[in-house]
Amino acid sequence: MGEEEPNLLKVTEEVSSVVRNDDCVAEQFQPGTKISIELQQKHIQELRNSLSSVKSGMEQLRIQYSEDFTKIGRQLYILSNAASGYHKVLEDNRKLYNQIQDLKGNIRVYCRVRPFLPGQANSSSSVAGMEERTITIITPTKYGKDGSKSFTFNKVFGPAATQEEVFSDMQPLIRSVLDGFNVCIFAYGQTGSGKTYTMSGPNVLSEKSVGVNYRALNDLFNLQAQRKGTINYEISVQMIEIYNEQVRDLLQDSGNRKLEIRNTSQKGLAVPDASIVPVTSTSDVAELMNQGQKNRVVGSTAINDRSSRSHSCLTVHVQGHDLTSGTILRACMHLVDLAGSERVDKSEVVGDRLKEALYINKSLSALGDVIASLAQKNSHVPYRNSKLTQLLQDSLGGQAKTLMFVHISPEPDVVNETISTLKFAERVASVELGAAKANKEGGEVRELKEQIAWLKAALVKKEGEPENIQSTQSSPNIYGINKGNATPVFRKNRQPMEDVGNLEVRNNATPTQKALKFDIPGSGILVEHNSPNSVKNCWVDNAAVGDNQFENSNSVREQEPNLTTHTLLPNLFYQRYTPGPQRGRVESIPSQESDEFNGVTNSCSSDQDMVMSSSGRKVVGITNGGVSNKKKPRAKNDNNMTTRSTNPTCKSPPQSQKRLQTPVRSSVQKTPTKNGKQLLSGTDGRRTPSGKTNTVK
Ligand SMILES: Nc1ncnc2c1ncn2[C@@H]1O[C@H](COP(=O)(O)OP(=O)(O)OP(=O)(O)O)[C@@H](O)[C@H]1O
C-alpha cells in the first residue's frame, strides 16, 4: 500500500492537468465549437431522417416494383398463354386444313430448305423468310416487283429442322397405312437439294440422322406391337429403282434383270417380280436399306458428289387381320426418292452421266405433264409416258394419301431452279384426288370371295369332265361333277378359306388351277372371243360384265401371260360385285381413257382397287350397261332357272354359299321352263344392285 500511494497521486495529478488543459481549450474555442457541434449533430440528425425516409421510400419502391413485377409476370403469363393458345389455334387450323385437304384428296406438299453445306459461304440465302406454311424467296426482278415471291404449302421446314421434326409431322399419314390406306410419299427437288437426306439420311447414319424410310418402318413396328392383341399385321418390303427407264430390283445383289410395272398383278403388286421381303424388326429394315442403298446407282456431278442417278422406291406392304371382326386390310406405302432434276450445263455431266440426266429430266417432265393433266382435270392423263408415272399412277390418280416433299437449296445462284421447283410444287398441291379410301374388306366381301373360291373349285372339277356344257343343258346334273371325285380336287387345290378370301396366288398353285384360265367365271369372259358356245354357259360373267371388260380382260391377259386365273378372277369379279351403294356397277372406260384404265390397277392392293375403281371418280359406273343390261330382264325368271350350282353332287359349300344355293334348289324343283322351253340358268343367286339375282342364258 505504501508503494501504491505515490502512483495514485501521480495519476491524479495527470488527470487534473488534462482537465485543466481541456478547460483551457474549451475556454479558447468554446463559442464556435459549440455551434458547429450542434450543427453537425443537427445535420447528422437530418441525414438520419433523410436516410430513414430514403429507406422507407426504397422499401415502398421495392414493394411497388415487386407488385409491378408480379403484375407483369401475370400479364406475361396471360400473354404466353394467349400465344400458346394462338399457336394451338394455328395448329388446329392446320389440322383442319389438312382434314379438308384429306376430304378433297389434295396431294399434300411439304417444303424443306437444305442448310448451307460445310465449306459453303452462307452469307446470303435465296430464302427471304419462312413461316409455318409460307416460304418467301428473293427473286430476280422479273419474278416480282418487290423482288420476292411467296409460296404456301402444308408445311415449311427451315434449314434447322431435324429429321425427327420432319418425321413427326408426317407420322399420322404414315400410320394410316396400318388402317388400310395406301400412302405415297415422294421427295422431289433439284439435284443436291436434300431428297436422299430426307428419305434415307446422310451417308453416315446415326440414330438422329436416319431418314423417313427407316423411321416410318420403325414406327409401323411399334404400332404393330401395340395392336398385337387386336390386329395381326404382316409387313414386307420391296425396293426398286428406275434407272434410265428400266426398273431394277434393289434387293437383289446380282444378275439384276429388268422388271416390269404391272397394271394388275399377283397380290396387287405393282412390280410383282421384284423381291418382296417380310420384315419384323428395325434391324431387318436397316439391313435391307443398306443393301438397297448399296445397289442404287449414284454418281458424282459438279453439284452433288453422291448424286442419285435413279428414282428409288421403297414399298412397304401391310396386311392386317382384325382378330375380332375378321376384317382384312391391305395397304401399301411407296416411299420414293426421285432423282433430282438438273441443268446439265451446271452439273457438267458428260457420257453416261449425261444420258442419265436426260432420262431423269424426261421422266420428271412426264411427271409434270401428269400433274398438269390432273390439275386441269383432263380426261386423259398420260401416265404411260414414263416408268415413273406408271409407278406413281395409283398414288397420283388413285385413292391413296399422297405427300410430296419438295426440297430446295438455299444458294442464290440456283434461285431460278428453286422458283420453278416451288411453282411445280404449288401446282401439285392444287391437284385434288378425291378422298382416300381404306382397303378394308369386311365380312360381306370375304363371304363373296369364299363363294368364288368354292365355285372355282367346282369348276376345277367340272373341267375334268368329258361332257360339255351345251350337251348337258337339259340335265339337272349338267356338269356331272358327281361323276368325278369333286371333293378331293376341290380340297386339294383349295386354300384355307381365309387366304382364298384374299384371293392370293400361292406358289403351290397346282397346274390344274393354271389350266383354269378359260374356265372360271372371270376367264369365262376371255372365252367369249374364242368359244362362243362356252360363253353361253358362263353364268357369272355375262350377267354383269360390260364389253370393255372383255377388252380389258384380254389386255390384261396379253400383258400378263403368266398370271393364273386366281389373279384375274377377283379383279374382274369385284369390279362387278362391290359392297355398298356402288355394288354391281360396271366399269365403262371410254377408249380415250385407256391409259388411265390400264394403269388404274397399278395398285398396292389390286382387289380392293378394283373395288374402288368401280366407285372411283375415273370410272363411269353403268349399272345397266354392257351385257348386264341385256341380261337384266331375265332376272325375273329366277324361279325358272337352273344353274351350275344346282348340281347336288357338289360338296358342301362354305356357309355363305349355302345361302346362295337356296333359291337355286327351289328353282330345280319348279319346272325350269318358260314359254315351253327349258332354260339354262345364269343365276348364281347373287343379288344385283337392284336386289335381283344375276342371270344369263
Ligand atoms: N437437311 C440437311 N441437313 C444437313 N445436310 C443436308 C441436309 N439436306 C441435305 N444435306 C446434305 O446435302 C448434300 C446433298 O443432299 P442429297 O444427296 O440428299 O441431295 P439429293 O437431292 O438427293 O441430290 P440428288 O438428286 O443429286 O441425288 C448431302 O451431302 C447431304 O448430306
Side-chain angles (χ1 to χ4, degrees):
M1 189 68 187
E3 282 178 12
E4 287 174 356
E5 270 184 5
N7 286 340
L8 195 63
L9 279 172
K10 201 177 167 189
V11 171
T12 312
E13 271 173 24
E14 280 176 5
V15 170
S16 315
S17 99
V18 169
V19 170
R20 254 184 272 121
N21 281 342
D22 275 3
D23 283 350
C24 288
V25 172
E27 276 167 18
Q28 266 182 341
F29 301 102
Q30 202 170 24
T33 309
K34 269 190 176 174
I35 292 168
S36 90
I37 288 171
E38 280 168 8
L39 264 175
Q40 281 175 7
Q41 282 174 344
K42 202 177 156 195
H43 283 156
I44 288 168
Q45 192 51 48
E46 280 173 5
L47 281 172
R48 277 191 186 136
N49 291 345
S50 63
L51 181 67
S52 79
S53 71
V54 166
K55 266 187 181 173
S56 68
M58 285 295 289
E59 184 58 24
Q60 273 179 356
L61 272 177
R62 199 186 60 78
I63 293 167
Q64 181 73 38
Y65 277 131
S66 87
E67 278 174 7
D68 286 353
F69 276 126
T70 319
K71 270 186 198 164
I72 290 172
R74 260 191 238 123
Q75 280 168 357
L76 271 178
Y77 181 74
I78 291 165
L79 276 176
S80 76
N81 267 356
S84 72
Y86 174 68
H87 283 298
K88 200 173 168 305
V89 168
L90 276 186
E91 184 56 30
D92 286 349
N93 277 352
R94 206 170 68 81
K95 278 185 189 154
L96 285 173
Y97 176 76
N98 282 343
Q99 277 172 13
I100 292 168
Q101 289 226 313
D102 267 354
L103 290 173
K104 287 203 291 186
N106 280 78
I107 297 179
R108 289 180 200 205
V109 180
Y110 286 5
C111 175
R112 187 176 194 183
V113 185
R114 169 174 65 67
F116 282 97
L117 298 176
Q120 273 186 326
N122 59 357
S123 52
S124 64
S125 165
S126 60
V127 179
M130 275 173 296
E131 284 168 33
E132 173 94 356
R133 292 184 46 216
T134 307
I135 182 165
T136 306
I137 303 292
I138 301 166
T139 60
T141 29
K142 64 174 179 172
Y143 286 106
K145 281 179 196 158
D146 58 354
S148 70
K149 181 158 175 52
S150 294
F151 299 86
T152 302
F153 302 111
N154 293 72
K155 179 91 185 172
V156 174
F157 294 99
T162 62
Q163 298 283 68
E164 191 182 351
E165 282 163 13
V166 166
F167 176 74
S168 69
D169 219 86
M170 55 171 76
Q171 201 171 22
L173 184 77
I174 286 168
R175 288 181 166 199
S176 65
V177 77
L178 289 186
D179 299 322
F181 289 94
N182 289 343
V183 172
C184 175
I185 296 170
F186 65 102
Y188 179 90
Q190 191 207 350
T191 180
S193 55
K195 299 176 293 295
T196 307
Y197 186 92
T198 296
M199 299 308 288
S200 306
N203 293 342
V204 183
L205 288 177
S206 67
E207 205 176 314
K208 274 189 174 176
S209 68
V210 289
V212 168
N213 293 354
Y214 183 86
R215 286 169 193 269
L217 274 152
N218 202 19
D219 195 48
L220 295 187
F221 289 134
N222 288 340
L223 277 181
Q224 181 187 30
Q226 276 171 31
R227 299 184 184 176
K228 207 173 173 183
T230 45
I231 305 181
N232 263 351
Y233 287 110
E234 285 167 23
I235 301 176
S236 47
V237 298
Q238 286 183 304
M239 220 172 156
I240 57 145
E241 71 172 351
I242 300 174
Y243 174 70
N244 290 357
E245 279 302 278
Q246 289 170 6
V247 185
R248 298 157 34 135
D249 187 353
L250 288 178
L251 298 183
Q252 208 169 33
D253 287 333
S254 57
N256 212 334
R257 65 204 162 93
K258 295 169 207 164
L259 307 173
E260 283 305 316
I261 297 173
R262 299 289 191 190
N263 296 326
T264 182
S265 55
Q266 295 180 9
K267 294 184 184 177
L269 305 183
V271 190
D273 297 330
S275 318
I276 177 159
V277 185
V279 281
T280 52
S281 67
T282 42
S283 58
D284 286 355
V285 174
E287 208 174 292
L288 286 177
M289 291 203 188
N290 282 342
Q291 189 186 354
Q293 285 300 333
K294 210 173 63 195
N295 290 336
R296 195 175 173 191
V297 180
V298 290
S300 175
T301 71
I303 297 176
N304 187 357
D305 57 4
R306 261 185 71 85
S307 177
S308 310
R309 311 310 289 166
S310 65
H311 310 297
S312 84
C313 178
L314 170 76
T315 305
V316 182
H317 299 274
V318 171
Q319 178 168 315
H321 179 204
D322 191 317
L323 299 177
T324 26
S325 68
T327 303
I328 296 283
L329 63 83
R330 284 188 190 151
C332 83
M333 173 165 65
H334 292 312
L335 298 163
V336 186
D337 177 8
L338 296 178
S341 58
E342 63 189 67
R343 283 190 37 192
V344 287
D345 53 340
K346 282 194 179 167
S347 59
E348 297 169 12
V349 286
V350 288
D352 279 351
R353 293 285 98 89
L354 177 62
K355 190 176 154 198
E356 289 160 3
L358 296 177
Y359 270 114
I360 292 167
N361 289 347
K362 190 167 168 255
S363 60
L364 290 173
S365 119
L367 178 64
D369 293 342
V370 164
I371 295 293
S373 292
L374 288 169
Q376 288 162 17
K377 296 190 172 17
N378 287 351
S379 58
H380 176 77
V381 182
Y383 290 112
R384 297 176 72 82
N385 284 356
S386 77
K387 290 274 189 278
L388 174 65
T389 46
Q390 268 177 276
L391 182 73
L392 293 183
Q393 175 171 353
D394 200 46
S395 309
L396 294 173
Q399 283 155 332
K401 293 186 177 186
T402 303
L403 165 69
M404 180 173 100
F405 223 116
V406 63
H407 293 78
I408 58 166
S409 308
E411 295 88 24
D413 59 332
V414 292
V415 68
N416 286 339
E417 285 87 337
T418 299
I419 286 173
S420 51
T421 298
L422 292 174
K423 281 184 164 179
F424 174 74
E426 266 194 339
R427 195 153 207 191
V428 172
S430 75
V431 174
E432 288 175 14
L433 302 177
K437 286 187 181 168
N439 301 314
K440 278 188 185 171
E441 172 182 288
E444 192 179 1
V445 177
R446 277 167 62 75
E447 208 173 82
L448 288 169
K449 285 185 174 182
E450 285 174 5
Q451 290 163 16
I452 292 173
W454 180 82
L455 292 165
K456 204 160 61 174
L459 286 164
V460 169
K461 175 60 199 155
K462 184 252 140 208
E463 195 207 24
E465 295 303 318
E467 296 170 48
N468 74 30
I469 294 159
Q470 287 291 315
S471 65
T472 56
Q473 278 190 19
S474 59
S475 165
N477 187 14
I478 52 178
Y479 306 116
I481 291 176
N482 62 334
K483 292 181 183 170
N485 188 2
T487 311
V489 175
F490 171 83
R491 289 210 172 128
K492 200 164 104 196
N493 293 327
R494 191 176 170 193
Q495 296 150 17
M497 200 47 79
E498 188 175 301
D499 296 338
V500 178
N502 294 330
L503 294 158
E504 291 177 351
V505 179
R506 296 298 166 120
N507 292 335
N508 63 358
T510 64
T512 320
Q513 285 172 306
K514 286 187 179 170
L516 267 176
K517 197 164 265 179
F518 301 100
D519 205 13
I520 57 169
S523 62
I525 295 162
L526 306 178
V527 175
E528 186 184 56
H529 299 279
N530 305 328
S531 170
N533 287 341
S534 306
V535 78
K536 285 179 186 158
N537 299 304
C538 269
W539 49 271
V540 171
D541 322 309
N542 294 347
V545 180
D547 291 338
N548 284 316
Q549 286 185 319
F550 282 77
E551 286 159 26
N552 289 321
S553 305
N554 277 332
S555 74
V556 165
R557 191 173 139 246
E558 277 157 22
Q559 287 169 34
E560 299 185 351
N562 293 328
L563 286 184
T564 67
T565 51
H566 293 75
T567 312
L568 290 172
L569 174 67
N571 292 341
L572 294 167
F573 182 83
Y574 287 112
Q575 268 173 274
R576 291 164 274 158
Y577 298 96
T578 59
Q582 304 289 348
R583 192 173 174 188
R585 295 179 82 185
V586 178
E587 280 200 12
S588 172
I589 311 297
S591 56
Q592 76 270 21
E593 288 195 37
S594 59
D595 256 359
E596 288 176 57
F597 175 71
N598 288 338
V600 146
T601 54
N602 170 20
S603 120
C604 303
S605 174
S606 67
D607 295 356
Q608 286 299 334
D609 287 330
M610 293 307 280
V611 172
M612 289 189 292
S613 66
S614 68
S615 57
R617 60 186 169 77
K618 288 188 181 309
V619 178
V620 182
I622 306 173
T623 311
N624 297 324
V627 177
S628 62
N629 195 22
K630 290 176 207 158
K631 304 298 172 192
K632 208 173 177 187
R634 294 187 188 276
K636 292 174 189 164
N637 300 320
D638 280 349
N639 286 346
N640 293 332
M641 300 290 176
T642 59
T643 178
R644 291 182 185 199
S645 50
T646 59
N647 189 336
T649 60
C650 286
K651 293 293 175 188
S652 295
Q655 193 66 29
S656 51
Q657 179 60 26
K658 284 178 183 160
R659 200 187 71 196
L660 294 187
Q661 293 277 318
T662 313
V664 175
R665 283 204 186 101
S666 63
S667 74
V668 175
Q669 284 152 14
K670 293 179 186 179
T671 311
T673 57
K674 188 188 178 192
N675 299 332
K677 290 179 188 167
Q678 186 167 21
L679 296 173
L680 173 65
S681 171
T683 184
D684 57 350
R686 291 185 178 86
R687 278 161 293 164
T688 63
S690 60
K692 293 166 184 166
T693 49
N694 291 319
T695 59
V696 286
K697 195 174 176 179

